[in-house]
Amino acid sequence: MKVGDKAPQFTAKDTNGNLFESQHAIGKKAVVIYFYPKDETRVCTEQACSFRDNYQQFKDLGAEVIGISSDSVQSHIRFKSKYQLPFILLSDSDKKIRKLFGVENSLFIIPGRETFVIDKNGIIQLIFNSMLGEIHISKALKALKNLD
């Protein structure tokens, strides 16, 4: 995937056990999808809590935030509850969504940490890859503010 590409469509289980269908969000409003390695790890928790603490800014810009990792739905339920995360978490246990977006492993074994900002037309406007979790939030907010 690269900037300017149409975001791929996918389905996955959310923390309510429901099937999330991306076409209900992508192409309808701005969406920030962030892939992260694992629930309950230090950097992933800091990143999720930073998205949480800035969630209202994302909503004010008309965007939905979606976090995706290969953790189970049960793990996501605990993670979301423990840190009061207001956004969608999706389980990608078979790593199909990660592959669709072309998110590579970091350091050969750790699942990559990558953020995609997708405009309301479903076009990718930003791809940001860094193992530093909190920087993803400022990069995503800046990209959203630059959308027309």
Side-chain angles (χ1 to χ4, degrees):
M1 303 277 6
K2 62 186 183 309
V3 170
D5 285 352
K6 190 153 188 63
Q9 298 293 314
F10 60 88
T11 58
K13 288 281 187 184
D14 68 16
T15 51
N16 296 318
N18 297 322
L19 189 64
F20 173 87
E21 298 180 49
S22 66
Q23 72 264 23
H24 295 306
I26 294 175
K28 307 271 192 266
K29 59 179 158 183
V31 178
V32 175
I33 296 177
Y34 81 97
F35 291 88
Y36 65 100
K38 188 149 183 58
D39 292 343
E40 299 291 344
T41 58
R42 183 183 60 79
V43 176
C44 294
T45 300
E46 288 170 359
Q47 182 180 27
C49 289
S50 190
F51 269 114
R52 176 199 65 203
D53 296 346
N54 291 280
Y55 186 63
Q56 190 56 52
Q57 287 185 68
F58 287 98
K59 296 304 282 181
D60 291 348
L61 292 166
E64 186 54 69
V65 174
I66 301 170
I68 302 175
S69 82
S70 59
D71 292 299
S72 69
V73 170
Q74 290 298 346
S75 176
H76 281 341
I77 290 169
R78 288 188 300 273
F79 189 54
K80 184 172 182 153
S81 175
K82 182 175 181 178
Y83 296 102
Q84 300 176 337
L85 305 176
F87 49 84
I88 298 164
L89 289 181
L90 298 176
S91 176
D92 183 29
S93 56
D94 57 9
K95 299 179 177 70
K96 283 184 179 174
I97 304 168
R98 184 173 287 277
K99 286 179 186 142
L100 266 179
F101 279 82
V103 178
E104 303 278 330
N105 284 352
S106 297
L107 307 172
F108 303 107
I109 56 168
I110 300 169
R113 183 183 311 280
E114 204 159 325
T115 296
F116 294 79
V117 174
I118 302 163
D119 69 17
K120 65 180 189 263
N121 299 312
I123 305 301
I124 297 171
Q125 298 297 323
L126 172 79
I127 300 172
F128 182 71
N129 182 339
S130 172
M131 287 312 281
L132 301 173
E134 290 187 58
I135 195 169
H136 287 253
I137 289 78
S138 60
K139 293 282 190 184
L141 284 169
K142 183 177 179 186
L144 286 169
K145 289 174 184 171
N146 289 331
L147 296 178
D148 45 63

